[in-house]
Every structure is written in C-alpha cells, then in structure tokens.
Amino acid sequence: MAGWLGPEETQAILLSLRVAAVATLAALPPGILVAFALARWSFPGRGVLNALVHLPLILPPVVTGYLLLLTFGTKGPVGGALAQIGIVFAFRWTGAALAAAIMAFPLMVRAIRLSVEAVDPGLEAAAATLGAPRAWIFATVTLPLILPGVLAGAVLSFAKAMGEFGATITFVSNIPGQTQTLPTAIYAFLQVPGGEGAALRLVAVAVAIAMAALLASEALSRLVARRVAAR
C-alpha cells in the first residue's frame, strides 16, 4: 500500500479515517437518543426535531458548511465562546470531524430509528411491570435488540463521513496534512496537471471503503430482520 500510494495520498486517507472515526463516535450517543425519541416519544416540537435532523440531507453541503463557519468560526456565537477556552473548529481537523458528523447524522438516526421501531414495546412494558427503571430497561432490553441497527447506522455514518466534501471544504478548507481528507485530496489532485493518477488511486480506495460499508450495513440489516422474525 505504501508503495502504491504517495505520502500525500496516504496522509489524506489516514486523516479521513481519523475524521470519520471521531465523527461516528461523537455522533453515536446523540444519534441513539434522538432515534429513540423520534421512534417512541410524543412531545411538542417532534416534527421540528425530525426536520432538523434530516435537514443536512436536503440542504446543499456548501450551505451546511457555511452555516457551520458562521456558528463555529472564531467570530461566531458558539465558536467565539469555545475559542476562549482553547477549542477551535474552523480550519482544523476537528472541524472536519464536526462537519462530517453533522452530514452523516441523518443516516445514523434513520438506521437506528428503524431498529427501535422494530422492537416490540410489550417487552419493555413487561420489564417495567417488574419495577425496573427506564434506564435499566433500555440498557438490558432495548439496546441488545437494536444493537445490529446501531452498528449498521454507525457503519453508514462512517462511510458517509469518509466521503464528505462540500461542508468540509467550506468549513475547514483543504490544507494538506491538516484538513485535507480523501475527497478534498481527490479534488486537489484533479486541479493540477499530472494529478490524475493520484486521484484515480484515491477514487479506488474510496469506492472500496464505500462498498465494504454497504455490504456490512446490509449484513447487519439482515441480522435485525432475523431477530425480529424470531420473536
């Protein structure tokens, strides 16, 4: 691999893996909470929350990136406050992870929500009649049943984060070694004469990762279906 890929290509792939892993792990807890809330709870503003979660799928990624820049830039309302305590997202790899997490969040929530909706509420109700608290019921009854869906959502989120481009380049630019991820590296190589070979190698890596993620997600989805059918 090291001989096939140049140093800059390897650097972009490793940074993409780091960004995608951090984005997925950071989005997982709120993703489970939001998916469970949308699947099981009725509350004022549920429709608005559902719309906000899925908004990144509809908005042009550049718009999402610009909104992130306005909000989390060093002069933004949130970014300015965070900068006071040394946390900066704009033009940093952490900003790329933030952009990737937001763009991948709808896919994660959708996969987990479908898994939660497939669980029979009667199982949780039976546990509740025994006096178990809600948190314990979720940890011992609900979570094991939706685990394949959680993993499928995480895999899809990871793949989406690996391929995120528009919001990332708008929010953190395309700085080699700092914010240049796999998609932005492909874009950069295509802008210079003779960069087609490097771009093609990165495209092959991106396709391989996306295919592996889709196959893994499909396998986990079939596992969810078998669990539901077995109940």
Side-chain angles (χ1 to χ4, degrees):
M1 180 71 80
W4 183 55
L5 297 170
E8 193 173 347
E9 300 158 47
T10 304
Q11 194 175 51
I13 293 171
L14 292 177
L15 181 60
S16 288
L17 291 171
R18 184 183 185 186
V19 164
V22 170
T24 302
L25 291 175
L28 198 53
I32 294 174
L33 177 62
V34 170
F36 189 84
L38 291 175
R40 290 293 172 80
W41 297 342
S42 294
F43 53 90
R46 182 174 177 274
V48 175
L49 175 62
N50 187 53
L52 286 174
V53 166
H54 293 89
L55 196 59
L57 289 179
I58 309 301
L59 280 176
V62 173
V63 173
T64 302
Y66 185 59
L67 291 174
L68 283 173
L69 192 58
L70 292 177
T71 306
F72 290 95
T74 52
K75 295 183 179 178
V78 178
L82 292 174
Q84 299 294 324
I85 55 175
I87 300 175
V88 178
F89 287 104
F91 308 107
R92 305 282 179 86
W93 76 269
T94 50
L98 176 63
I102 289 175
M103 295 301 294
F105 196 66
L107 294 177
M108 175 183 286
V109 169
R110 184 172 178 78
I112 299 174
R113 180 180 176 179
L114 290 174
S115 184
V116 173
E117 289 174 344
V119 174
D120 183 359
L123 297 173
E124 296 159 328
T129 59
L130 300 175
R134 284 188 175 184
W136 181 254
I137 294 173
F138 179 82
T140 59
V141 177
T142 310
L143 189 57
L145 291 173
I146 68 171
L147 190 57
V150 172
L151 294 175
V155 169
L156 282 178
S157 176
F158 182 85
K160 173 64 177 174
M162 283 286 296
E164 164 48 32
F165 175 76
T168 301
I169 200 169
T170 306
F171 184 35
V172 300
S173 190
N174 183 19
I175 307 170
Q178 297 185 43
T179 64
Q180 188 176 70
T181 57
L182 194 151
T184 58
I186 293 173
Y187 173 78
F189 282 125
L190 289 176
Q191 303 305 306
V192 297
E196 294 84 358
L200 189 58
R201 288 191 291 274
L202 291 181
V203 167
V205 172
V207 170
I209 293 173
M211 281 297 296
L214 287 174
L215 291 173
S217 176
E218 183 64 25
L220 290 168
S221 297
R222 285 200 297 270
L223 182 58
V224 172
R226 283 201 297 270
R227 281 194 173 194
V228 172
R231 287 208 312 268

